Amino acid sequence: MNPLTVPPLMSGGLMLSYQCSSTCRHCLYRCSPKRENIWMDLEDVKRVFAALKRERLLHGIHLAGGEAALRFDYLLDVIRLAREMNIPLDYLETNASWCSDPDRSREKFRQLREAGLPAVLISCSLFHAEYIPYERTRIGIEAAQDVFGPGGVLVWQPWVMDILERLPNPQTTATWEEICAAAGWTTDAPQIPQSYGITPGGRAPQALRACYPLEPPEAFRHQICRRILESTAHFHIDPFGNLFTGLCPGIAPGRVGNLHPRITPEAFPAYWSLAEAGPFGLMQYARDAYGFEPDAAGYAGPCDLCQQVRAHLLDTAPEVHPELRPAEFYKDE
Ligand code: SF4
């Protein structure tokens, strides 16, 4: 069997922290205010940027969290560093929780632009509105458009604004029931994850469980994950330097220092198993070698099964599976 490796990186995000002002139900990286208050220090950011500069196909980097603007001056330093090092910075991803006042928001966006930020992505979803008053999202979008121009602001996803306009009180956070009612959906509607294109990984399989039909592991026996795991078109590097490819958090054979390791079944058995045999194959491996018992209730999707099997492997044999990191990703918060 020929070893695998991580292909050249193309475009991705630098997660400065798992700390967030929000605990969104759909968060793939399970960010939250309860996460440890750990941020990538500037020396490490410099190391990441230096490593990324060696990537011959890299054409874009965005800055993300958690919520990167929680440490605003530090964020300015990271942007300045990106400019100094000629990193192709695309945008900052923010949930706009800090945009409570139009003038102050404009001033902060101005500072970000002057530091070297070219554009902003503002998250707008049903899930954010449980933690962030919709009013702040609206203020953030308008203030960012004033500073960066309409072409410099991407709202993700804009159709949700029409729904959130119907909330009883946009100045405060809303309950999940109020948000679903504004959309015209019950809280278990399958349209909730479908309309937002949510991968049932991260927090979604638990927090939106009612919206998914649960299926047995056999239902996913035909999914093989090599192509997904080898996708570097939207990679992420977390504050610990772990490299996640293909929107698969919590599994990182590559790290800053060695972004393209030699991947063999001996070195990274969980990754190998997923690449060759998908989540069902990983489950068989975990059942045979480490006593994994599938949940009779079923799984919300292949990534739900994958994540639960990986959590079991990390619990029972962490030394055999160094690619399952960081450990805190697997804590249910
Ligand atoms: S099943 Fe696992 S490896 Fe495959 S796409 Fe989902 S999270 Fe990634």
Side-chain angles (χ1 to χ4, degrees), residues 20-25 27 31-34 130-131 203 333:
C20 193
S21 43
S22 199
T23 311
C24 296
R25 288 171 189 263
C27 186
C31 298
S32 138
K34 291 189 196 152
E130 265 191 289
Y131 297 90
R203 190 176 287 123
E333 283 179 4

Side-chain angles (χ1 to χ4, degrees), residues 44-258:
D44 286 335
V45 175
K46 208 182 269 182
R47 270 190 279 278
V48 174
F49 285 163
L52 292 177
K53 278 177 78 79
R54 293 191 286 273
E55 293 292 320
R56 59 197 158 82
L57 298 186
L58 187 84
H59 55 79
I61 283 293
H62 64 272
L63 299 176
E67 174 49 49
L70 284 176
R71 284 186 58 193
F72 195 78
D73 290 340
Y74 158 83
L75 174 60
L76 291 174
D77 287 341
V78 172
I79 294 168
R80 289 187 194 110
L81 189 58
R83 183 164 62 182
E84 275 165 37
M85 294 181 70
N86 279 325
I87 293 297
L89 204 54
D90 284 340
Y91 58 86
L92 163 73
E93 187 171 344
T94 178
N95 63 25
S97 54
W98 46 280
C99 296
S100 54
D101 172 85
D103 288 339
R104 277 205 302 275
S105 304
R106 264 191 295 276
E107 174 51 28
K108 286 194 158 179
F109 280 122
R110 225 171 268 128
Q111 290 178 40
L112 292 168
R113 192 193 57 195
E114 279 161 17
L117 186 71
V120 185
L121 180 150
I122 297 186
S123 305
C124 178
S125 77
L126 305 181
F127 318 105
H128 287 82
E130 265 191 289
Y131 297 90
I132 299 160
Y134 171 58
E135 179 72 4
R136 295 191 182 199
T137 310
R138 198 161 49 192
I139 289 173
I141 292 168
E142 287 170 9
Q145 285 175 339
D146 286 348
V147 173
F148 291 93
V153 182
L154 176 67
V155 179
W156 187 258
Q157 295 185 350
W159 60 270
V160 179
M161 294 177 75
D162 286 341
I163 294 173
L164 299 181
E165 294 285 351
R166 293 181 219 135
L167 287 173
N169 185 359
Q171 279 78 36
T172 65
T173 54
T175 65
W176 185 232
E177 288 71 22
E178 284 171 336
I179 294 165
C180 292
W185 292 327
T186 54
T187 53
D188 59 357
Q191 294 95 328
I192 294 170
Q194 282 166 8
S195 62
Y196 207 73
I198 291 172
T199 307
R203 190 176 287 123
Q206 291 307 325
L208 294 172
R209 201 157 197 82
C211 304
Y212 292 102
L214 301 185
E215 297 179 274
E218 291 73 21
F220 317 121
R221 66 161 68 241
H222 299 299
Q223 171 156 336
I224 305 298
C225 296
R226 179 165 174 179
R227 194 178 51 81
I228 299 171
L229 285 165
E230 290 189 340
S231 167
T232 60
H234 200 75
F235 68 85
H236 284 89
I237 295 178
D238 82 354
F240 307 105
N242 298 313
L243 169 65
F244 306 131
T245 50
L247 293 179
C248 304
I251 182 157
R255 307 189 76 189
V256 174
N258 186 4

